[in-house]
Amino acid sequence: MNSSTADTKTNDKVQSRDFAFQAEVSRLLDLMVHSVYSEREIFLRELISNAADALDKLRYEALTQPELLRDDGDLRILLQPDKIKKTLRIGDNGIGMSRDEMIENLGTIARSGTKAFLDRLNAESEAAAKGQGKSEAGEKNKLGLIGQFGVGFYSAFMVADKVEVISRKVFEDTAHVWTSDGKGTFTVTEATPEQAEQLPHGTIITLHMKDDALDFLEEAELSRIVSTYSDHITFPIKLLDHNGEERKQLNAASALWRQPAHQVTEQQYKDFYAHVTGMWDEPQLKIHYRAEGLQEFTVLLFVPGHPPFDLYDPNRRGRIKLYVRRVFISDDAEILPAYLRFVRGVIDSEDMPLNLSREMLQNNPTVAAIRKAVTGRVLSELAKYANNDPEGYKTLWQHFGAVLKEGIYEDPERRDSLYKLCRFKTTKTAEGELRSLADYVADMRENQKEIYYLVGDNAKQVMWSPQLEGFKARDVEVLLLSDPVDNFWVTTALGFEGKQFKSITQGDVNLDDIPLAQRPRKKKKDEPDQQTIASVIRAVAEVLGDHVSDVRESRRLVNSPACLVAPEGGSDRALGKLLEKQHSGKAQAPILEINPKHEWIDLLQAKSRGRSIGDEKDRKEFEDLAWLLFDQANILDGVLPLDPVKYTERLNRLIFSAKPHKS
Ligand code: ADP
């Protein structure tokens, strides 16, 4: 199609340049241009949403520069259908875009929803490529996703075969025109004086409607779509006739959050959620209330139905929109702590001064008081939700639990409330089931004093850790932790209801006081005595040298011959491994624990006897065995043997020593 390189054409006065869309945008546009999606009407909600954001930004600027609103006090959105020209114009007198901003914003993908949408699309195409024959359903599915995620500005190409955007940024002398037919490239030109004249600042988007989209030029249809999706927009949305005469206002333009909760319908909440989050799924939880007293403010918050793709982006901040008496102030005021960064919505204060700069927000005492109150309220609403709808809460936890757990070490004051919100996989949960700490404590075994946990890369893998054996034998529940954040909160955690958290892969664990769940195995006749065990252990320690910080008899093993644990005091095995991977330290050498009841002891003992009287063959074999014991403990920990080459050599030597001799 069009060349992907930019070329420059110059006519008399204005510079016009062609640009190629970012590859992802081209993909998206291709989908839009060929769309027969039945809910194409959402293009309007997307464009109105952008216009409202631009008006919010302008109103904020005007707080410190009132001259911005002097000539044109009423901020509004205009819709102007023209059946003769087959165009629909959507205009706003908002902040506008400079030339560079147009190229950046309308040529690449900025919004998180769109990125998530493309990711899903990739995943689905791959799945479709594997199982063929489902392509028609796949196509439908893809388009259904547009409605779920919202794809912003680009959705215009579902209904238009050509889109023209004229925009002028506030305070700029020139306006620019962006045009595209959505097929690979777009053009940016300086606006003609006539075009610029219509626009002191703001943006006008002209859609040249496709022949099958002319319905959207009908007044009744526009009116229906606006009241369906955009009624809550706080600026008036006005319908003009093709001469520019105002016909009527299409929305209520009241700030939804200021209405009492019982007057707001579920659909209105859902549309508002879509507007503030840019996500088009169902919110998982809604929190709507008005605080009165020392501070007066209104809160309308949502926990989204899905995690955003950048939830763990280190630069991601909370995105609560802060308003002061209905005027948008900021969406990066960090009203909620980072561990609640998934909560989205609006907080509107009655008491704050309007002329507060964004920088001053950080230290403002009113903001601090609101922050404290709302954080507490969100946590208590989460607890209430967990109580009233355990299944719904489970979904919420699966999406955002790993983030909430950051609060355990970041916000010590609220640690106890956070503990109550935590849910875990444990050695006792069935597939898909989660348990709370209260559940855990209620089921603690006789004489059990601590809350045991095991950290590993994933819950399936940790399930077969040999360190668990003694716990299973005593029916002692162990929390199975596999989120990276688990490495950190467990190290700072104070106990829950007076019970300490204790890693089962670190330090000593004494389970002797807790009765076995099943009858113990009968003692073998010739079980090795204490002295034998001690001498075997000493000999293994000699062979392994610095690679272990100790070798000792294990009290946590039942079936496996050996396992590794971290020394008391330092970092746990899992954290040590993590830090080593990130090259931010060296894990302390582990302790090798040997199961004194395992037959390995007998074998080691036999070889060590020969070793001590100078038998060269036994000495070598003992060494091989000691290393193999250590290496297999590493493997069970999800780590490669220290020296994989030597490991295979040793293993092979052993295997071939079992080879029958030819006679
Ligand atoms: P999003 O709105 O989620 O960022 P869009 O693709 O809809 O994604 O829009 C991209 C960007 O283009 C917006 O973030 C905004 O900066 C800019 N933009 C879109 N429409 C307007 C408008 N009417 N006025 C000013 N800027 C706009």
Side-chain angles (χ1 to χ4, degrees):
M1 191 133 304
N2 280 311
S3 79
S4 60
T5 46
D7 64 303
T8 309
K9 357 172 200 165
T10 321
N11 65 23
D12 301 17
K13 266 192 272 140
V14 288
Q15 270 254 314
S16 165
R17 238 190 104 182
D18 287 353
F19 297 86
F21 284 112
Q22 187 191 24
E24 283 100 322
V25 178
S26 285
R27 264 199 75 205
L28 188 63
L29 284 172
D30 196 46
L31 201 66
M32 297 298 139
V33 169
H34 296 114
S35 164
V36 286
Y37 179 46
S38 59
E39 285 164 59
R40 294 191 294 179
E41 63 194 39
I42 56 148
F43 80 93
L44 195 59
R45 133 196 121 177
E46 303 280 326
L47 297 181
I48 288 176
S49 187
N50 283 348
D53 288 345
L55 292 168
D56 262 343
K57 286 180 196 155
L58 182 79
R59 194 161 54 176
Y60 176 75
E61 293 298 324
L63 293 176
T64 46
Q65 294 153 296
E67 66 275 17
L68 279 179
L69 293 183
R70 195 168 301 144
D71 348 319
D72 198 8
D74 17 306
L75 298 173
R76 82 291 180 267
I77 299 167
L78 303 177
L79 300 185
Q80 187 182 28
D82 186 328
K83 288 189 192 167
I84 297 162
K85 292 192 193 140
K86 299 187 187 171
T87 55
L88 176 61
R89 307 216 300 165
I90 296 123
D92 68 69
N93 52 350
I95 189 102
M97 280 178 277
S98 66
R99 180 177 180 274
D100 288 350
E101 283 171 338
M102 275 179 138
I103 296 169
E104 171 69 22
N105 295 339
L106 309 182
T108 57
I109 288 180
R111 62 153 69 198
S112 60
T114 312
K115 281 200 180 117
F117 167 74
L118 284 173
D119 288 349
R120 268 286 282 280
L121 219 56
N122 278 336
E124 303 219 340
S125 334
E126 270 167 37
K130 274 184 201 142
Q132 283 160 353
K134 287 184 202 155
S135 61
E136 203 174 302
E139 258 339 270
K140 254 207 182 130
N141 226 338
K142 268 185 204 172
L143 294 166
L145 289 175
I146 300 173
Q148 239 183 65
F149 286 97
V151 288
F153 170 74
Y154 303 111
S155 58
F157 288 96
M158 291 198 291
V159 295
D161 43 29
K162 181 177 162 201
V163 176
E164 185 185 80
V165 183
I166 309 176
S167 194
R168 188 209 299 251
K169 178 102 180 190
V170 268
F171 297 132
E172 285 196 2
D173 293 333
T174 41
H176 290 90
V177 186
W178 179 104
T179 351
S180 176
D181 59 4
K183 293 183 185 150
T185 61
F186 60 89
T187 308
V188 179
T189 328
E190 205 170 280
T192 61
E194 300 83 69
Q195 284 173 319
E197 206 176 309
Q198 307 170 30
L199 199 66
H201 52 79
T203 303
I204 298 173
I205 299 179
T206 306
L207 307 178
H208 297 265
M209 303 303 273
K210 293 180 180 179
D211 282 336
D212 64 1
L214 298 178
D215 271 2
F216 297 117
L217 301 177
E218 298 294 338
E219 205 177 296
E221 186 64 355
L222 289 170
S223 170
R224 180 189 66 79
I225 301 173
V226 170
S227 53
T228 308
Y229 299 107
S230 310
D231 201 43
H232 59 269
I233 295 286
T234 45
F235 303 96
I237 303 172
K238 295 177 178 178
L239 183 72
L240 306 185
D241 67 15
H242 67 280
N243 292 320
E245 295 299 319
E246 184 174 328
R247 299 267 304 137
K248 61 176 172 183
Q249 182 168 325
L250 300 178
N251 64 330
S254 68
L256 185 81
W257 59 87
R258 294 170 76 104
Q259 293 175 27
H262 67 267
Q263 281 176 19
V264 184
T265 66
E266 283 311 308
Q267 188 59 39
Q268 282 176 311
Y269 278 128
K270 203 183 149 199
D271 296 334
F272 184 72
Y273 162 79
H275 174 63
V276 289
T277 61
M279 296 174 71
W280 312 97
D281 56 356
E282 296 274 340
Q284 188 76 42
L285 180 66
K286 164 193 90 221
I287 301 171
H288 187 188
Y289 70 97
R290 187 178 167 78
E292 284 171 0
L294 225 50
Q295 305 293 339
E296 270 185 43
F297 55 91
T298 309
V299 176
L300 177 50
L301 299 177
F302 300 94
V303 176
H306 289 91
F309 81 105
D310 62 345
L311 190 55
Y312 298 101
D313 183 336
N315 296 320
R316 191 190 155 96
R317 303 267 174 274
R319 305 224 183 102
I320 304 293
K321 289 188 183 219
L322 177 67
Y323 284 72
V324 173
R325 295 183 291 285
R326 293 182 57 175
V327 177
F328 172 74
I329 302 293
S330 167
D331 58 5
D332 56 7
E334 293 183 34
I335 298 282
L336 289 178
Y339 65 87
L340 292 175
R341 61 184 174 274
F342 56 89
V343 178
R344 305 287 298 271
V346 169
I347 294 175
D348 189 355
S349 160
E350 294 298 319
D351 318 296
M352 260 162 13
L354 267 172
N355 58 359
L356 207 61
S357 77
R358 291 196 175 124
E359 294 68 47
M360 283 159 68
L361 283 175
Q362 301 302 325
N363 309 316
N364 181 279
T366 312
V367 178
I370 293 179
R371 185 176 290 146
K372 188 160 182 237
V374 179
T375 303
R377 178 68 178 249
V378 170
L379 294 187
S380 69
E381 290 287 333
L382 287 174
K384 204 156 90 191
Y385 183 52
N387 238 342
N388 297 341
D389 181 358
E391 276 305 303
Y393 183 73
K394 194 166 89 187
T395 307
L396 186 153
W397 177 260
Q398 277 157 345
H399 290 152
F400 303 113
V403 178
L404 270 170
K405 282 188 280 191
E406 292 170 14
I408 301 175
Y409 58 90
E410 279 175 2
D411 194 353
E413 262 179 62
R414 300 191 195 273
R415 189 185 286 139
D416 288 332
S417 341
L418 285 161
Y419 277 154
K420 292 195 181 115
L421 295 174
C422 287
R423 296 292 179 274
F424 299 100
K425 289 197 179 115
T426 79
T427 45
K428 291 195 178 167
T429 50
E431 181 72 33
E433 197 193 342
L434 296 174
R435 306 245 297 161
S436 69
L437 289 173
D439 295 337
Y440 182 103
V441 169
D443 287 347
M444 276 169 69
R445 294 289 320 274
E446 183 186 341
N447 295 335
Q448 180 185 348
K449 294 186 187 65
E450 291 164 313
I451 298 174
Y452 293 109
Y453 67 85
L454 171 59
V455 191
D457 288 342
N458 68 63
K460 278 224 175 74
Q461 189 187 326
V462 297
M463 264 312 265
W464 34 258
S465 297
Q467 292 92 337
L468 280 171
E469 290 169 359
F471 296 86
K472 286 186 188 153
R474 288 170 180 80
D475 201 27
V476 173
E477 185 169 17
V478 177
L479 307 178
L480 302 175
L481 309 179
S482 52
D483 288 320
V485 59
D486 291 325
N487 285 294
F488 303 100
W489 70 262
V490 288
T491 58
T492 56
L494 286 178
F496 170 75
E497 293 183 355
K499 316 272 187 303
Q500 300 295 313
F501 290 90
K502 166 83 181 144
S503 166
I504 69 158
T505 60
Q506 177 169 31
D508 201 10
V509 166
N510 187 351
L511 297 175
D512 293 349
D513 292 343
I514 307 176
L516 282 167
Q518 298 114 14
R519 237 169 337 125
R521 268 190 311 169
K522 266 211 227 109
K523 254 193 162 188
K524 278 187 296 176
K525 272 186 263 115
D526 49 355
E527 231 162 61
D529 57 30
Q530 225 29 59
Q531 215 183 340
T532 315
I533 296 171
S535 82
V536 165
I537 281 177
R538 243 190 338 270
V540 173
E542 255 172 56
V543 172
L544 298 179
D546 286 349
H547 297 293
V548 289
S549 48
D550 195 10
V551 180
R552 69 184 179 207
E553 191 179 319
S554 183
R555 286 190 281 192
R556 67 192 103 203
L557 290 174
V558 177
N559 298 317
S560 299
C563 70
L564 296 175
V565 300
E568 197 81 60
S571 46
D572 186 25
R573 286 281 298 149
L575 179 60
K577 279 187 272 179
L578 189 79
L579 295 178
E580 227 168 44
K581 228 193 269 170
Q582 298 171 344
H583 305 289
S584 46
K586 179 125 188 62
Q588 263 180 298
I591 296 170
L592 178 69
E593 287 197 353
I594 301 184
N595 181 355
K597 302 215 165 65
H598 201 281
E599 285 166 323
W600 263 80
I601 293 285
D602 309 330
L603 185 62
L604 286 167
Q605 195 213 348
K607 300 291 169 194
S608 88
R609 214 179 295 129
R611 174 179 182 263
S612 61
I613 56 169
D615 181 324
E616 189 52 18
K617 186 163 165 282
D618 278 353
R619 188 189 65 78
K620 274 200 104 94
E621 283 182 4
F622 183 85
E623 220 175 278
D624 280 353
L625 288 171
W627 274 105
L628 283 171
L629 193 62
F630 180 56
D631 287 341
Q632 61 169 272
N634 269 304
I635 292 173
L636 284 174
D637 250 14
V639 183
L640 275 182
L642 216 59
D643 184 337
V645 176
K646 283 202 177 131
Y647 165 74
T648 41
E649 282 171 10
R650 286 189 182 105
L651 196 60
N652 289 332
R653 258 203 299 279
L654 210 75
I655 290 169
F656 284 100
S657 73
K659 199 172 106 175
H661 291 290
K662 280 199 195 118
S663 51

